[in-house]
Amino acid sequence: MQDKNFQECVKCTVCTAYCPMAAVNPSYIGPKQAGPDGERYRLKDKAFYDYALKYCLNCKRCETACPSGVRIGDIIAKAKLESESFKPGLREMILANTDLMGSLAVPFSPIVNKALGLDISKKAMDGILGIDHRRTFPSYASETFVHWYRRKAARTQKKFERQIYYFHGCYANYNFTKLSKDFVRLMNACGYGVRLLDKEKCCGVALISNGMGKQAARQGKINLASIRKAGAPVLTTSTTCTMTLRDEYPHVLGLDNADVRENIQLALKFIYEKVESGEIKLAFRDDCRKRIAYHTSCHMERLGWWIYATRLLEMIPGVDLRILESSCCGISGTYGFKKENYEYSQAIGKKLFDNIRDAAADIVATECETCKWQIEMSTGFEVQNPICILADALDVEATRALNGVR
Amino acid sequence: MHQKAGKNGPSFKEDATMRFDDIIIGGGLSGLLCGISLAESGRKCLIVSQGQSTLNFSSGALDFLKTKEGESFEEALERLPQEHPYKKIAPEKCFLLRAEVAGLLDRAGIGTFSDIRRNHWRITPLGVLSQTWLSLEEMAHFDKEALPEKVLIVNISGFLDFSPSLLASGLAEQGVRSEICEVSVRETDTARANSSEFRSVNLARVLDGYAASRLAEAVNGKIGDCDFILLPAVFGLESDTAAVRFLQMLDKPAALVPTMNPSVPGIRLQYLLKKRFKELGGTFLAGDTACDGIVEEGKMTALRTRAQGNSLFEAENFVFAGGSFFSEGLIAGKDEIYEPVLGLDVDYSGSHGDWFSPDVFEEQPYMSFGLRTDADFRVSLKGRTLENAYAAGQILSGAAPFRNGCLGGLSAITALRVASMIKNE
């Protein structure tokens, strides 16, 4: 069925006025022309505005701005997948296959991490692949979260009366396992057992943005089947995975998730709601004296769920929370790693970097992993996921007692 | 109980909630002003905003009410038809509210020009003099008796959203002579790379600091015997400093004229109001759509939005400030006009064919359609007034803002009126 959403566009150009890419790159025609305008022409010929699609960050800020409910970002993402001229090369394969790269890298993580950090390998990746040498790759963990979970946590999860499933995503599995381990610790203290899905594949966001729609759809089907089988809330700690599973699956990949969409939730939303309804009680230590600058990532802005993250952070005694003006950090996943995008990426992020420096906070909080890399690299400030901040500030024993965990 | 709420009845009990003092649906001029006014008195407010508002198309001025030659605002208010929202506000209260709007904008860092007692004149992009009550400081505003003799109309090379010749011919009808010129600097030429999307905002992003001072130099070289300079409003997206500084660098008095949308002054107005609202502790939820609510015993108790799914927002008071048809505060279906959140009572008449006149310059009935409210701007559902739900701005019925010349002013005045009702002033 032909999706007619693009016809809701009234050509007001508001989206282009708020597009972070159009703001720094005068040769980008902007979301209105690349999206709903272009879609009309593409009905005749897929080649229209082809050249412009690669500039889109998929930040979805155009959709948040649109007064008429046009899914501009989705239209562009879909056009990109169907475009003849936008075919993935070796670089795209490497950047987008986070699952595969993670599985290969973790067993050799000390060597891989070292190698990725060397100037010579950065230069080689820059010269041969077109991955900008100024970028720092996130380091790989010595053991995946899933491996750790099976070894250390799986057995104890069943004893909890209440159970949730965890869609950990690639970053919390291969790279930053503190996040996934903190999440298990936090949920356990609140009286919830954490289970893993039958089969979890990468959500596919990087595949979508790098032109590998078929593979993304294959992985999507496996994920949706596992989520259906779970039949219980499936919680996430990554905003981008969440948005992909909930919104890009139906709108870009054409996968129907209507029956399970409400089950897929950011853990922060779930926890806040349970705290409000009294089903979860949190006790914090009182030694957390921190000023936290909260950065609303683009996909969190689109989800509209930052209110839960900030309200939870405000519950921690001693926290002075500053909510930064929501603006794009510029990296947009694999986008900013590409050599030709590096300068744009940094120009887009400049406003956010300045705001972070002005806030003079101790740490920056955000749920998005790639925002974390970008902000840490560009400002030198430490960035943490609110889940880790909550877990670190938690009085585990008191919380367990409050929630009746023995 | 409202039927929609009834339909989902039992399951609602298990929903999670987030509480606020007041919830405002709509993040445009009326929603923001109402929110700021409430937040200034310490109330915890949420604004739910579906997308960017019509402030993005603003002229950079708020019209309070069209007046006849020599007529005071009070006399013009007297003349208004009974259904106009202003009729629900006592003229002396309305006077105070006008002062309050100017004060509130000032506290948000928005420089304005207004006279509480009478209109002044602004210039439309067509060169027509139009009455207005409050102008952003840098926008062209005049006393009709003191028009300039000869104006230099400046455009930026390649900028198509501003037409100097239309402006010139309009001014000529007022007896004002003019000269037209184009200027550019390196930065504006770079922004021109994409000719079809060479917009006001692109210019505003580069016209600051050094680029602006070189542009001013170029303009100063063209002044000749002109005694006033008009330029497109393409300065300052986040503060008026860029505009004010630029105008100060010019050798003759100068001011800005609105461009085609997006409107730079409007975007700035919205940006600064939003900033002020958040600084006061307000929660501004962008890109979310109010879609349903719970009404119990004549009171609205909760709002459901599209993004939050099973989470409800609860509050003591609700304000419907979602604007008119464009902003989807009102929806025109095939056979009915309805309010999409609760299905509130709407004032409208006839069927589809009667809603508009084929001649666009004739009076358009749909422009008077809107929410039915009582004397205190409280909305009603199936004939029953909701005691804690109000409406403000373009969503109100009876305004006919173009005919009455109250676009913007109506939003501001009714928003602050509703805020004062809630605060029980």
Side-chain angles (χ1 to χ4, degrees):
Chain A
M1 200 184 76
Q2 166 82 51
D3 186 353
K4 296 283 197 318
N5 179 259
F6 74 94
Q7 294 192 351
E8 301 289 321
C9 173
V10 298
K11 315 295 167 208
C12 71
T13 316
V14 160
C15 54
T16 301
Y18 292 88
C19 171
M21 190 60 185
V24 300
N25 178 1
S27 52
Y28 178 42
I29 54 174
K32 184 189 75 169
Q33 274 197 312
D37 267 13
E39 199 61 11
R40 191 159 299 177
Y41 292 108
R42 282 190 290 263
L43 292 178
K44 281 211 159 201
D45 186 343
K46 295 275 178 222
F48 272 104
Y49 297 124
D50 234 12
Y51 63 94
L53 301 174
K54 64 172 182 288
Y55 290 120
C56 173
L57 292 160
N58 199 30
C59 68
K60 310 279 190 201
R61 287 192 184 266
C62 46
E63 297 186 3
T64 310
C66 178
S68 309
V70 182
R71 295 189 298 270
I72 308 160
D74 292 346
I75 291 171
I76 296 174
K78 220 171 151 196
K80 212 157 126 185
L81 287 181
E82 288 165 8
S83 158
E84 288 295 319
S85 66
F86 199 82
K87 287 284 170 259
L90 179 62
R91 175 183 70 176
E92 282 69 27
M93 304 269 191
I94 290 175
L95 288 175
N97 275 294
T98 45
D99 242 346
L100 179 67
M101 298 314 285
S103 314
L104 292 174
V106 167
F108 312 102
S109 60
I111 304 164
V112 175
N113 291 341
K114 190 113 201 217
L116 285 173
L118 292 175
D119 274 354
I120 186 156
S121 17
K122 288 189 173 190
K123 288 219 172 84
M125 286 194 290
D126 189 303
I128 301 166
L129 292 170
I131 294 172
D132 198 279
H133 65 275
R134 286 160 289 191
R135 287 277 167 217
T136 312
F137 269 89
S139 58
Y140 285 100
S142 53
E143 180 188 24
T144 65
F145 162 69
V146 173
H147 197 267
W148 171 86
Y149 176 88
R150 293 206 179 111
R151 200 164 55 81
K152 287 272 199 185
R155 266 172 296 123
T156 55
Q157 298 305 310
K158 292 189 188 99
K159 71 170 184 187
F160 293 94
E161 225 171 275
R162 296 177 286 183
Q163 300 278 322
I164 53 94
Y165 285 81
Y166 180 35
F167 186 98
H168 45 74
C170 298
Y171 180 64
N173 188 30
Y174 300 114
N175 305 96
F176 193 61
T177 52
K178 178 182 188 313
L179 171 59
S180 34
K181 291 174 190 169
D182 277 352
F183 172 71
V184 174
R185 206 154 55 90
L186 181 62
M187 293 315 288
N188 285 174
C190 296
Y192 283 81
V194 176
R195 295 190 170 205
L196 301 187
L197 292 170
D198 222 19
K199 276 184 190 151
E200 181 187 319
K201 294 280 179 190
C202 165
C203 71
V205 69
L207 294 168
I208 294 171
S209 59
N210 284 289
M212 287 166 257
K214 279 189 188 134
Q215 191 187 340
R218 270 201 308 276
Q219 297 184 187
K221 279 179 195 156
I222 296 173
N223 286 333
L224 285 178
S226 303
I227 290 168
R228 277 190 189 104
K229 197 172 164 200
V234 177
L235 305 188
T236 55
T237 46
S238 157
T239 38
T240 297
C241 296
T242 317
M243 191 201 68
T244 307
L245 294 167
R246 286 171 56 98
D247 298 328
E248 302 233 310
Y249 277 12
H251 297 149
V252 180
L253 299 178
L255 302 175
D256 184 7
N257 65 357
D259 56 329
V260 289
R261 186 172 179 270
E262 276 303 304
N263 269 358
I264 308 164
Q265 277 198 2
L266 207 55
L268 291 162
K269 181 172 190 274
F270 180 87
I271 296 169
Y272 176 82
E273 289 172 355
K274 296 295 173 196
V275 169
E276 275 300 293
S277 66
E279 289 163 79
I280 285 181
K281 293 183 181 68
L282 297 175
F284 294 102
R285 301 196 319 265
D286 58 3
D287 57 354
C288 180
R289 304 265 174 277
K290 268 183 197 150
R291 178 182 287 179
I292 300 176
Y294 179 81
H295 162 59
T296 316
S297 68
C298 296
H299 293 164
M300 189 59 145
E301 177 88 349
R302 180 69 184 128
L303 285 168
W305 290 352
W306 56 272
I307 44 176
Y308 305 107
T310 52
R311 283 229 173 164
L312 280 171
L313 289 173
E314 278 169 344
M315 288 177 192
I316 304 173
V319 160
D320 171 15
L321 187 72
R322 305 286 163 100
I323 304 175
L324 299 165
E325 184 190 330
S326 174
S327 62
C328 181
C329 77
I331 194 167
S332 189
T334 58
Y335 185 95
F337 277 85
K338 296 171 189 170
K339 199 175 171 178
E340 68 274 21
N341 296 337
Y342 183 85
E343 300 292 339
Y344 293 133
S345 184
Q346 297 312 103
I348 289 169
K350 186 178 179 301
K351 185 176 175 189
L352 175 67
F353 308 150
D354 290 347
N355 285 343
I356 287 174
R357 291 189 192 102
D358 289 348
D362 300 302
I363 52 166
V364 177
T366 196
E367 304 77 13
C368 175
E369 44 271 48
T370 62
C371 291
K372 173 180 158 78
W373 310 337
Q374 170 78 332
I375 294 167
E376 287 184 340
M377 185 198 91
S378 309
T379 67
F381 277 83
E382 181 194 346
V383 182
Q384 284 194 18
N385 189 304
I387 290 285
C388 297
I389 299 175
L390 289 167
D392 287 346
L394 199 71
D395 183 332
V396 178
E397 287 314 313
T399 304
R400 284 162 62 98
L402 284 172
N403 294 294
V405 181
R406 269 158 298 165
Chain B
M1 185 182 271
H2 176 50
Q3 56 174 39
K4 274 202 235 173
K7 193 178 69 190
N8 294 323
S11 74
F12 271 34
K13 296 273 180 286
E14 289 162 33
D15 287 331
T17 57
M18 188 178 274
R19 280 203 62 82
F20 293 88
D21 290 331
D22 311 303
I23 292 175
I24 298 159
I25 301 165
L29 184 61
S30 51
L32 281 165
L33 290 180
C34 186
I36 291 171
S37 175
L38 291 167
E40 278 182 341
S41 53
R43 300 182 68 91
K44 218 170 112 190
C45 299
L46 167 73
I47 292 179
V48 179
S49 168
Q50 173 173 297
Q52 290 293 342
S53 73
T54 47
L55 277 175
N56 289 269
F57 318 118
S58 165
S59 63
L62 308 183
D63 302 348
F64 171 69
L65 186 61
K66 208 184 279 176
T67 49
K68 288 181 184 162
E69 188 85 48
E71 192 181 41
S72 70
F73 278 143
E74 282 67 27
E75 286 162 328
L77 283 169
E78 181 71 35
R79 262 194 309 111
L80 276 177
Q82 212 44 48
E83 69 268 17
H84 195 282
Y86 284 161
K87 287 292 201 189
K88 296 175 184 177
I89 307 170
E92 11 359 312
K93 178 70 187 169
C94 209
F95 180 89
L96 294 175
L97 287 173
R98 289 199 295 282
E100 214 181 308
V101 172
L104 188 150
L105 293 174
D106 184 52
R107 290 192 294 280
I110 299 158
T112 59
F113 171 84
S114 70
D115 182 333
I116 199 163
R117 291 171 204 283
R118 65 182 68 82
N119 280 319
H120 58 268
W121 299 87
R122 63 180 167 94
I123 296 181
T124 72
L126 300 179
V128 176
L129 288 178
S130 177
Q131 286 182 333
T132 193
W133 155 59
L134 182 143
S135 293
L136 294 191
E137 215 170 9
E138 78 282 8
M139 301 305 288
H141 52 82
F142 296 100
D143 266 344
K144 215 172 190 178
E145 296 72 38
L147 292 176
E149 276 178 30
K150 189 174 174 195
V151 175
L152 177 68
I153 303 172
V154 182
N155 196 14
I156 316 290
S157 304
F159 183 52
L160 301 177
D161 285 347
F162 178 71
S163 169
S165 53
L166 281 177
L167 184 55
S169 63
L171 286 173
E173 284 179 33
Q174 313 291 329
V176 179
R177 291 179 299 135
S178 59
E179 218 165 273
I180 293 172
C181 77
E182 276 193 2
V183 291
S184 68
V185 290
R186 195 183 61 245
E187 289 82 354
T188 60
D189 281 338
T190 310
R192 201 181 160 178
N194 174 12
S195 58
S196 68
E197 289 298 315
F198 183 41
R199 304 280 182 183
S200 56
V201 285
N202 306 43
L203 283 169
R205 287 193 186 105
V206 298
L207 285 176
D208 202 355
Y210 189 44
S213 65
R214 277 180 292 122
L215 192 80
E217 242 173 70
V219 173
N220 283 335
K222 311 237 176 186
I223 293 174
D225 62 341
C226 296
D227 61 346
F228 202 90
I229 308 168
L230 289 175
L231 304 103
V234 292
F235 300 86
L237 279 168
E238 294 181 358
S239 91
D240 58 12
T241 326
V244 171
R245 270 197 207 140
F246 175 77
L247 296 178
Q248 280 169 353
M249 284 187 278
L250 299 175
D251 293 343
K252 289 280 176 190
L256 306 181
V257 178
T259 65
M260 292 283 281
N261 56 316
S263 155
V264 170
I267 289 176
R268 184 202 317 138
L269 186 56
Q270 174 177 273
Y271 177 83
L272 291 172
L273 290 175
K274 216 161 121 177
K275 190 169 161 214
R276 170 79 175 153
F277 176 67
K278 290 193 212 164
E279 280 167 2
L280 291 164
T283 304
F284 192 97
L285 193 56
D288 196 1
T289 305
C291 60
D292 199 355
I294 304 182
V295 173
E296 283 165 322
E297 288 156 21
K299 280 183 90 166
M300 182 165 178
T301 55
L303 177 75
R304 184 186 294 282
T305 70
R306 196 166 290 160
Q308 312 310 327
N310 291 331
S311 269
L312 297 173
F313 292 128
E314 289 182 343
E316 284 170 33
N317 303 285
F318 294 83
V319 181
F320 287 81
S324 184
F325 299 100
F326 173 81
S327 305
E328 301 182 356
L330 297 170
I331 307 271
K334 215 161 160 39
D335 306 305
E336 58 161 352
I337 288 174
Y338 61 95
E339 180 283 309
V341 183
L342 289 180
L344 295 169
D345 297 339
V346 177
D347 283 323
Y348 73 100
S349 58
S351 59
H352 200 272
D354 312 316
W355 296 345
F356 58 94
S357 162
D359 180 350
V360 289
F361 295 107
E362 258 182 48
E363 192 172 332
Q364 298 292 334
Y366 72 85
M367 287 190 185
S368 300
F369 297 165
L371 291 189
R372 182 175 303 161
T373 52
D374 73 355
D376 294 334
F377 291 100
R378 288 184 300 188
V379 296
S380 64
L381 182 66
K382 294 197 170 63
R384 182 173 178 181
T385 298
L386 302 183
E387 56 185 277
N388 66 339
Y390 303 81
Q394 291 285 335
I395 201 171
L396 290 164
S397 75
F402 289 97
R403 184 184 63 200
N404 295 317
C406 60
L407 197 67
L410 171 93
S411 299
I413 297 292
T414 55
L416 294 194
R417 177 61 181 156
V418 165
S420 78
M421 303 294 312
I422 291 174
K423 291 188 278 187
N424 214 352
E425 279 169 358

